Amino acid sequence: MEPHHHHHLHRKRKPRNLKLHIPISPNPSNLFRFLLISLFLLLCFIFLTRFPSGSQSFRPLLTISRFHPLSIQDSSTVSLPPLKIEQQISFPDHVLLLVSKIHDPSLMNSYRTVLECVHRFVENSTRLVVLPVLSVEDYDGWRSIVRCPVSSNANKKSPVFVALRRRGGSTGAEEEDRLFRHRESMHSWEELVYNGVIDGETAVVFVKGLNLRPDRASDAAQFKCHFGWSNNLNALTTSAVTAAQEIVRCSLPRSFRNLPEKADGVGITISTVAHHGKHHNNEGEGLVHYVPSVARLSNLSDKRRRKNEKYELCVCTMLWNQASALKEWIQYHAWLGVERWFIYDNNSDDGIKEVVEQLEQGNYNVSIHTWPWIKTQEAGFSHCALRAKSECKWVGFIDVDEFFYFPIPSAPNRKTSEFRVYPGRNSLQSLIANVSHSAAIGEIRTSCHSFGPSGLKKHPSQGVTLAYTCRLQSPERHKSIVLLDALDETLLTVVHHFHLKKEFTYMNLPESTALINHYKYQVWEKFRAKFFRRVATYVADWQENQNEGSKDRAPGLGTEAIEPPNWSHQFCEVWDTGLRDFLIANLADPSSGLLPWESHDSQ
């Protein structure tokens, strides 16, 4: 019976085996299932071959340098375009990397999230310090910016190289070699050509470290400009025509004068010649010193605007972490007649771009310009004057804590009656129109009243114009609105007023016509931020033991950020509610009592 049993089992298995070799039925549902399984197997094969398992999976090539771009992929699998470091600049509190252009602004945060900074020290090449990226943002037409923290282990006498890599990457020797194979030398902010602008038939070059005297023109004969590409900046050379403070103006090479667009993006630096003392070569000629440069020439003019289409009145300011003050300042001055704003952002990290976007959506003509150069307010204002030249006739250079105020006119004064304006909508533009009738006036100067904390200890939510109502009795230095066509060729400026061409003069507005309320000494929480950061080039920081009796300093503050006794009641000599009362009467919503910047849906 056993042989027969085995034979029977064998016969029963045969049909089941045959079924495996029968072609699949052309039934549509079976065909769809077959295609789905095949597609799944194909995707698995591609995935396994492209991203092998193990500790190295999903790790991109980690070389970021001038000539070795890095293609990055973040955790959400969004592919980021190649990135390369072009220059590195060492600041006291951070390292700034100029990297290849990130064309899609929406990717800025992805880069910040994915990347980290790797510091390598020259005296000990095996010592690496890895720190998170501080910020990533746009800069000019060719480059973006990545900011890295300064390592606490850094020795100022020893150069440091910084590379970028994907977060959590390995620190093995092979990867380290790739990171620093083509490292860029670290520039010091103490001496650097940092910006260049095409202005007609000249190039305006912005330079740190020349140590030229403030508020005076210098001898231009000691400077030359060198134009070129990459490291070859000797391709074309011209002489300087003016030099003052941080600005050297040179003639454009003839080939660029004929076709200015050819100069756009070209590298530029300057050289200096020492004519006196021991700095001579064997032939007795002065030694030439080339200033390190990260600058590229840019053409800022808006050619779409014709001369008769320019805005009558624009405003330029430079700020750091004052996003919360922008709405009140812009919406109020728009009511007075300002048509265009240029915001120079000096390394803010408080969401200023989002505030500007909201204002733009409300039809306020505001543009934000990244200005990463610390303590360069005068140069930044000169740069803004060049930027605004093709769009604006008059530009006011004021801070975001300064508000024009037109008091109720008193008895007319024979000398100033022709410039009198009445408080109300567009009153600032009316003032400009009155002054424009006098062809010789190139600058309008307005006195400032400095307001104190007015008894407050917390930052007021309703805005500074309503909250701060107590001030010093005597006005302080003036702020200016300038006619751009009247500016001197040197672009010399002392914080808030420019030197003018010889055929122009300035006028001082009487206090009965216009004032500026300067909310200078706010609650301690706000004022302390000012203590750490002065933006003006030629004004000492409060921490420095210089000019302690100067009006640039807070009386009694000293050099440490320690809240003085009774701060909330200081700088209070006169109660002045003039602007507050005017705003409530003219700009407040009749039903809610809210001012435009207090409203959630303000336009």
Side-chain angles (χ1 to χ4, degrees):
M1 294 291 296
E2 277 188 12
H4 176 74
H5 178 68
H6 281 291
H7 179 69
H8 177 71
L9 287 176
H10 181 67
R11 287 174 64 190
K12 287 182 90 173
R13 285 188 190 126
K14 221 170 189 181
R16 290 196 340 224
N17 288 340
L18 285 171
K19 284 181 183 178
L20 294 175
H21 296 87
I22 295 173
I24 293 176
S25 167
N27 185 298
S29 62
N30 290 338
L31 182 60
F32 177 77
R33 192 178 295 112
F34 173 77
L35 291 174
L36 203 61
I37 293 170
S38 301
L39 181 61
F40 175 77
L41 292 173
L42 179 63
L43 289 173
C44 289
F45 175 78
I46 292 171
F47 183 87
L48 290 172
T49 54
R50 188 166 182 180
F51 303 114
S53 61
S55 61
Q56 298 301 316
S57 61
F58 295 94
R59 189 159 295 159
L61 180 64
L62 296 175
T63 302
I64 294 189
S65 69
R66 188 166 184 171
F67 302 105
H68 292 262
L70 168 63
S71 185
I72 308 164
Q73 203 165 44
D74 67 12
S75 56
S76 64
T77 71
V78 176
S79 181
L80 300 178
L83 193 64
K84 62 183 179 181
I85 294 176
E86 295 193 0
Q87 286 102 8
Q88 307 185 26
I89 306 157
S90 174
F91 287 92
D93 60 351
H94 70 281
V95 176
L96 187 145
L97 305 179
L98 289 170
V99 302
S100 54
K101 182 77 171 178
I102 302 170
H103 292 281
D104 185 351
S106 66
L107 296 179
M108 296 291 180
N109 192 56
S110 296
Y111 277 106
R112 186 188 63 80
T113 304
V114 169
L115 294 175
E116 60 188 4
C117 307
V118 184
H119 294 249
R120 184 180 189 179
F121 303 88
V122 169
E123 84 283 358
N124 184 355
S125 61
T126 61
R127 184 155 61 99
L128 297 181
V129 175
V130 179
L131 298 168
V133 165
L134 294 174
S135 65
V136 179
E137 59 187 291
D138 196 27
Y139 176 53
D140 60 19
W142 313 276
R143 295 165 296 183
S144 296
I145 285 173
V146 176
R147 290 189 182 88
C148 293
V150 170
S151 169
S152 59
N153 297 326
N155 180 350
K156 290 184 179 179
K157 296 181 180 179
S158 174
V160 177
F161 300 108
V162 178
L164 297 171
R165 71 174 189 193
R166 189 177 182 276
R167 281 193 178 183
S170 159
T171 54
E174 185 179 341
E175 182 179 9
E176 183 185 334
D177 287 343
R178 285 200 300 267
L179 279 171
F180 294 97
R181 187 178 299 152
H182 295 280
R183 60 179 179 245
E184 288 296 314
S185 59
M186 180 74 73
H187 294 294
S188 169
W189 174 236
E190 300 300 316
E191 183 190 37
L192 191 68
V193 175
Y194 58 91
N195 206 297
V197 175
I198 300 166
D199 182 30
E201 295 190 343
T202 63
V204 180
V205 188
F206 296 82
V207 193
K208 194 74 175 176
L210 292 181
N211 297 319
L212 301 182
R213 294 173 299 178
D215 199 21
R216 290 187 186 181
S218 298
D219 179 15
Q222 60 185 309
F223 301 105
K224 289 186 182 298
C225 285
H226 306 273
F227 306 79
W229 293 264
S230 187
N231 294 321
N232 180 22
L233 291 176
N234 281 315
L236 297 166
T237 299
T238 64
S239 297
V241 292
T242 65
Q245 296 183 168
E246 290 189 2
I247 297 175
V248 175
R249 186 190 288 269
C250 290
S251 300
L252 270 181
R254 184 172 300 173
S255 59
F256 292 160
R257 271 180 273 162
N258 297 334
L259 289 170
E261 58 271 18
K262 283 179 61 178
D264 213 24
V266 168
I268 187 166
T269 191
I270 67 164
S271 63
T272 62
V273 179
H275 291 291
H276 305 288
K278 61 183 179 180
H279 301 293
H280 288 75
N281 59 20
N282 294 333
E283 286 75 32
E285 298 175 350
L287 291 178
V288 177
H289 171 64
Y290 292 87
V291 180
S293 175
V294 297
R296 290 193 185 190
L297 277 176
S298 58
N299 194 340
L300 300 177
S301 64
D302 185 353
K303 295 179 181 177
R304 295 169 296 178
R305 286 197 162 269
R306 298 177 182 175
K307 192 170 185 179
N308 58 354
E309 292 178 341
K310 290 183 179 180
Y311 299 113
E312 288 295 325
L313 178 59
C314 305
V315 163
C316 179
T317 196
M318 184 178 293
L319 52 76
W320 171 70
N321 281 0
Q322 290 174 297
S324 61
L326 270 184
K327 279 188 177 180
E328 179 183 14
W329 183 72
I330 285 176
Q331 290 180 319
Y332 169 66
H333 285 97
W335 191 81
L336 292 183
V338 176
E339 301 165 283
R340 173 87 166 91
W341 286 264
F342 301 90
I343 310 293
Y344 274 51
D345 176 25
N346 199 211
N347 303 333
S348 298
D349 58 5
D350 63 343
I352 182 174
K353 290 181 176 62
E354 289 75 12
V355 175
V356 169
E357 285 173 6
Q358 291 173 20
L359 287 163
E360 287 178 318
Q361 289 169 8
N363 294 322
Y364 293 95
N365 194 353
V366 186
S367 59
I368 189 165
H369 307 279
T370 301
W371 186 259
W373 318 114
I374 62 173
K375 282 193 73 67
T376 57
Q377 186 178 33
E378 295 89 342
F381 280 178
S382 297
H383 190 276
C384 188
L386 294 170
R387 184 187 294 278
K389 197 174 180 180
S390 64
E391 296 187 58
C392 311
K393 294 179 182 177
W394 293 82
V395 176
F397 290 88
I398 59 174
D399 297 332
V400 296
D401 58 358
E402 296 168 344
F403 289 73
F404 273 89
Y405 170 48
F406 294 88
I408 303 299
S410 55
N413 181 311
R414 206 180 306 169
K415 292 182 180 179
T416 61
S417 60
E418 62 179 303
F419 302 118
R420 183 164 303 288
V421 294
Y422 288 84
R425 184 185 288 275
N426 293 324
S427 52
L428 194 53
Q429 197 168 124
S430 298
L431 171 68
I432 296 297
N434 291 346
V435 172
S436 295
H437 292 144
S438 174
I441 295 177
E443 183 178 37
I444 304 165
R445 297 182 175 181
T446 309
S447 297
C448 300
H449 277 153
S450 295
F451 282 70
S454 307
L456 301 178
K457 294 186 177 181
K458 291 184 178 180
H459 181 64
S461 59
Q462 70 268 44
V464 297
T465 50
L466 264 63
Y468 296 112
T469 53
C470 199
R471 61 170 173 82
L472 297 175
Q473 182 169 3
S474 300
E476 292 187 314
R477 63 181 53 192
H478 59 263
K479 298 297 172 75
S480 295
I481 303 173
V482 299
L483 177 66
L484 292 182
D485 287 342
L487 297 187
D488 184 71
E489 194 178 23
T490 60
L491 294 174
L492 258 173
T493 174
V494 184
V495 184
H496 289 274
H497 71 85
F498 285 81
H499 286 216
L500 304 176
K501 294 174 182 175
K502 291 180 180 178
E503 61 266 33
F504 290 93
T505 186
Y506 62 86
M507 70 167 293
N508 288 313
L509 286 177
E511 291 183 43
S512 59
T513 298
L515 288 161
I516 288 177
N517 281 9
H518 185 186
Y519 300 101
K520 184 175 181 179
Y521 306 110
Q522 298 186 26
V523 295
W524 178 252
E525 158 202 358
K526 287 289 183 181
F527 187 82
R528 182 174 55 186
K530 265 190 175 184
F531 179 90
F532 286 107
R533 217 159 181 276
R534 303 299 298 275
V535 292
T537 311
Y538 301 98
V539 176
D541 285 344
W542 279 312
Q543 304 100 301
E544 296 176 7
N545 188 18
Q546 297 178 30
N547 305 325
E548 290 194 54
S550 166
K551 290 182 180 179
D552 291 317
R553 308 179 70 89
L557 183 63
T559 58
E560 295 182 13
I562 299 172
E563 183 174 359
N566 204 28
W567 173 265
S568 62
H569 295 285
Q570 291 194 24
F571 317 107
C572 182
E573 296 174 352
V574 177
W575 288 97
D576 181 349
T577 63
L579 180 54
R580 184 195 70 176
D581 297 341
F582 177 80
L583 291 174
I584 292 173
N586 290 275
L587 273 79
D589 183 274
S591 57
S592 68
L594 293 175
L595 291 166
W597 45 91
E598 293 182 277
S599 170
H600 294 295
D601 57 349
S602 62
Q603 297 298 311

